Amino acid sequence: MPPKPSKPMMCNRKALPVAAKLKLIRKLEKGTSVAKLCEEYGVAQYCVNATASKSGKGLPRKHMKTARETGLDAAVLKWYVQERSVGINVHGVEIMSAANRLVHM
């Protein structure tokens, strides 16, 4: 029995030219499926998603954490501005120390 023909192997990384990326994004906007674009351009699904997210057309990949204590942020900022207005250089360790002092007040 002859061996089954295998699918062509994809490279781990494949750089698409800018023009191809633009075409890919436009096709994605028109509703072409990600799977179809992967097959057409010979790239993995994460490549299509990454290209779309870099253009602002896909879902954001990173999330910004928000502060739990907005009052603390304002107090630390006020302290920092006061220190800098007097000409004192403030380092990260000092900011953390000031925040800890303000929390325990």
Side-chain angles (χ1 to χ4, degrees):
M1 185 182 218
K4 293 181 181 179
S6 62
K7 292 183 179 179
M9 295 194 56
M10 288 190 190
C11 299
N12 286 341
R13 296 185 183 251
K14 181 176 181 180
L16 291 176
V18 175
K21 286 183 181 183
L22 287 173
K23 287 180 184 177
L24 186 147
I25 290 168
R26 287 188 183 121
K27 288 179 181 181
L28 194 59
E29 287 174 341
K30 289 180 182 178
T32 306
S33 73
V34 173
K36 189 170 184 176
L37 291 172
C38 291
E39 186 177 318
E40 182 179 338
Y41 287 90
V43 295
Q45 180 180 352
Y46 69 88
C47 294
V48 173
N49 292 334
T51 301
S53 69
K54 285 179 186 174
S55 71
K57 305 298 180 191
L59 297 174
R61 296 181 66 171
K62 295 184 180 180
H63 303 282
M64 186 173 85
K65 293 183 180 179
T66 57
R68 286 181 259 154
E69 298 287 334
T70 55
L72 176 62
D73 281 352
V76 171
L77 179 61
K78 183 178 178 181
W79 170 84
Y80 176 79
V81 170
Q82 288 173 349
E83 294 292 304
R84 290 296 299 146
S85 67
V86 182
I88 299 173
N89 287 332
V90 181
H91 301 283
V93 175
E94 294 161 339
I95 294 172
M96 289 190 310
S97 175
N100 284 329
R101 280 194 311 271
L102 291 167
V103 163
H104 298 296
M105 288 181 108

